[in-house]
Amino acid sequence: MELPNSARAVVIGGGVAGCSVAYHLARLGWSEVILVERHELTEGTTWHSAGFVGQLRSTVTQTKMIMYSAGLYPELAELTGMDPGWHGVGGLRLATTPERVEESLRLAGAGETYGLGLSVLSGAEAKEMLPLLDVRDVRAALWLPGDGWLDPALLARALAAGAEKLGVRIFTGTRVTGLDVVGGEVSGVRLALGAEEWSVQADTVVIAAGAASGRVGRLAGVDIPVVPIKHQYVVTEPFDVPSSMPTVRDPDNIVYFREEGGGILVGGYIRTPEIWDTGNPLEEPRTLFAADMPKFQESWDSAARRVPALGRTGIVKVVHGPEAFTPDGEFLLGETAVRGLWAAAGFCVHGLAAAGGVGKIMAEWIVDGSPEYDVFGMDLRRFGGHARSSSWARAKALDSYSKYYDIVYPGEERTAARPLRRSPAWVRHAELGAEFGEKSGWERVNWFESNAGPSPEARPAGWAGRVWSPAIRQECLATRDAAGLFDQTSFSKLEISGHQALMRLQRVCAGQLDRPPGSIVYTQLLNERGGIEADLTVTRLAEDRFRLVTGTAFGVHDAAWLRGHGLDVRDVTSAHACYCLWGPRALDILGTLSDDDLTFGYMRAREISVGNVPVLAQRVTFVGEFGWELYCPSEYGLTLWDTLMEAGTPYGMRPAGYRAIDSMRLEKGYRVWGMDITPETTPVEAGLGFAVAKDKDFLGRSALEAAARRARRDQPGGQDRQDGTDGTDAPAGPPDRLQGADGPARRLACLVLDDPRQVCLAGEPVRLGGEPASRVTSGGYGHRVERSIAYAYLPAGTAPGDRAEVGVTGVWVGATAVAEPLYDPASDRIRHLPA
């Protein structure tokens, strides 16, 4: 078959990832798609996968992707006549410690919200299902009847056959020798087929080359932080193990196993993994390493304890091959810094299980501009520039692999490759006993242990009390009664300037930005479906200059979204320190340091001096108290922190951290992107209709208007940092055409739990009238209102006073829907100067 000179899309890699992407592109109607593979299909990383398919994952998107994949296999069989190698035998996940039982109950609650059929079994019930097991130490087991395993080669070949049926052309034995880039956009792929070299023009190229994806990306000057790690499993001789045996995971003993050829396949995630240190991974087909049984001994011993028959059984095969791991153990998907060049890589851990879902979302992303699901946790752009460091990527990947089966408690911090990015005031935070967390490489204060005081408060029950300190409460109350000083230097700051800056921002932002210089506007960036792609503030610094402030981890993502819509964006995050001074004494404190007029209105920005430091003061808040975000050039950052601390301490001000911010923002109903709001939710559903402009066009407006033809008048929740423009007037509401008669089917609602010690951490199931209704998007304890708070999308007819139940680690806790915000509902503390 002769290679074409041009194609609409070129997919690089003939494993399950590449075959799935090609199949789904063709299914969405793209013709002239070609797939190239250096060897034969599946001979890179796919062929030696153990093939486990576990549908229940830690996020709803991962679970949706795997559930979609499971539904795809019958479709493939019908289309191609080929068996995709699916064995729907169900799966058991064992728990042998109280902590693992708690995790299992939380997973079971999440499974309910995903619509997964599952059961929590006793050890004895697990043994009834699989008599081979020794269950004397098993306290509980999750039974997932939809789980099973796949033959990886059969699946890849079925996907490839499906793609060919839809017109995709596949070329094996074809090496990629170069990627052509012109003006920051991919323009083609250079190939070698035997001794013949070939160039294919294409403005869409997908790198799905498994462990070799990093090498291929470097041909275009982009970094895809895939780390090849050696992974090992063994297969025993046959001993009449039934083919109907369910898959088994025993995470407390870092081992998994299933039936294979009448014997058992045993694998595990060892504590001392080893990187495959090579500059050209997968150069040879079907790469395997020599067996390393001493490294595998712990996993084998664990399996032999769990299945005593293994102690009398010989090993007939050892499979020791490369696994394409990533710094956080999650996929690497999306468009790279080169426009039109995409990645679908890092299929570590559950890549085979999710292959169908990956193909679906990648094809939607490429064809439609955004996928159906919220995939930020897998988006290649979740990492900053430090991800190009191979030493950083390796340290994180090794840590992620070695702890894959560990229980991950919400709020728990890992230490690999830290510290990396630090605020100018980091040294002062350390001196004050800061408990640091890490986000996007930044060291951020969770709380200051020096604020804990001599009398600890009652610890929240269950998981919420594991990573916790009484200092959090003291920081919240100090902010309420005096002032808190917060370091938000890590927040991403993007600047856009030029004579077309306003026009182009107006198109991508749902809010009205045509306001005088010095104005601050809270807004969202929407996709074509009206879903929220970003949530940020825009400050108009001058007629033709704007600064956007977004979350710490979202800067690369948001900048890429803006650039994709024609804006020239400068990331100035590292150029500015930012400290937030919030509380009723904030005006007194800053007044001792500045001769400037500090009484300018809410949602306004002004240049002032604080001591000897030039500062941009922005009158906004994310905690529901009066005050400012104070920005200064980074070289002044340490001086500004010291100046504020010296002036504020006599007034009762305390330094405070992000856990206090999260508590206080819940009390005010402030939304967090990636949790309460996502690309799958609209501003109307989220109670943010007040932030949508009524007098301009913008991306996503037509989708909102279509939805509004069924919508009642929007009822905005309280979101003070976003309401109004001058501290006195709130917007009249969303545009008339965005209102309608029936209301959205769901709205984000605030729940207060009956038991204040039961605290939600996100993902907990919510029931109405005893029936599954939703899941918690975010939750926590509000120290100013003394209530346990949770947010969840509930049917639009849910009204204050309606009752619900929330499943907190297996315990159903009563809850009441309430009007929001719970704290300072009239927003007097924010809008007006302190008395």
Side-chain angles (χ1 to χ4, degrees), residues 281-357:
L282 306 184
E283 183 175 13
E284 300 298 326
R286 293 182 168 259
T287 298
L288 286 179
F289 312 114
D292 189 346
M293 295 311 294
K295 269 190 180 290
F296 194 70
Q297 195 65 45
E298 181 182 359
S299 294
W300 177 255
D301 290 345
S302 293
R305 286 194 301 272
R306 185 63 60 214
V307 181
L310 289 177
R312 305 182 296 274
T313 306
I315 294 172
V316 297
K317 182 168 69 173
V318 178
V319 178
H320 192 192
E323 182 97 10
F325 239 79
T326 66
D328 58 2
E330 193 46 84
F331 303 152
L332 298 171
L333 308 179
E335 194 171 24
T336 70
V338 172
R339 290 188 298 279
L341 181 62
W342 298 75
F347 269 33
C348 47
V349 186
H350 54 279
L352 195 78

Side-chain angles (χ1 to χ4, degrees), residues 460-506:
W463 277 28
R466 286 190 170 273
V467 184
W468 173 89
S469 170
I472 301 166
R473 175 179 177 82
Q474 298 307 316
E475 292 169 9
C476 292
L477 299 185
T479 305
R480 178 195 68 184
D481 298 335
L485 183 61
F486 302 83
D487 187 342
Q488 288 195 166
T489 297
S490 68
F491 267 42
S492 296
K493 312 164 196 79
L494 310 173
E495 289 200 1
I496 296 171
S497 59
H499 72 281
Q500 292 188 320
L502 175 62
M503 179 188 71
R504 291 181 173 177
L505 275 172
Q506 284 281 69

Side-chain angles (χ1 to χ4, degrees), residues 672-825:
V672 170
W673 191 82
M675 299 180 72
D676 305 307
I677 50 179
T678 74
E680 298 182 46
T681 59
T682 70
V684 178
E685 293 172 322
L688 300 177
F690 64 86
V692 177
K694 65 172 62 176
D695 54 356
K696 70 164 195 174
D697 190 21
F698 54 85
L699 183 67
R701 180 185 176 104
S702 59
L704 295 186
E705 288 176 346
R709 284 192 281 271
R710 307 179 302 274
R712 290 191 182 95
R713 182 177 178 83
D714 182 44
Q715 299 293 325
Q719 189 103 355
D720 301 301
R721 103 174 255 183
Q722 301 86 349
D723 312 343
T725 59
D726 60 5
T728 58
D729 298 322
D736 291 343
R737 284 185 293 169
L738 301 184
Q739 301 174 20
D742 299 325
R746 61 175 188 168
R747 290 185 186 273
L748 190 62
C750 181
L751 297 171
V752 171
L753 277 64
D754 295 347
D755 183 350
R757 290 197 65 227
Q758 296 289 345
V759 177
C760 294
L761 298 168
E764 292 84 358
V766 179
R767 291 178 178 175
L768 295 177
E771 296 296 324
S774 188
R775 70 181 65 86
V776 171
T777 59
S778 64
Y781 187 79
H783 295 279
R784 293 176 300 186
V785 299
E786 302 287 3
R787 295 183 184 182
S788 177
I789 304 164
Y791 274 83
Y793 282 92
L794 298 176
T798 305
D802 287 353
R803 295 287 291 168
E805 290 180 300
V806 182
V808 185
T809 316
V811 177
W812 287 99
V813 182
T816 303
V818 298
E820 56 169 333
L822 287 166
Y823 181 73
D824 187 27

Side-chain angles (χ1 to χ4, degrees), residues 69-80 82 84 86:
S69 298
L72 176 66
Y73 308 139
E75 177 184 314
L76 283 173
E78 182 176 347
L79 176 66
T80 66
M82 297 178 64
W86 171 240

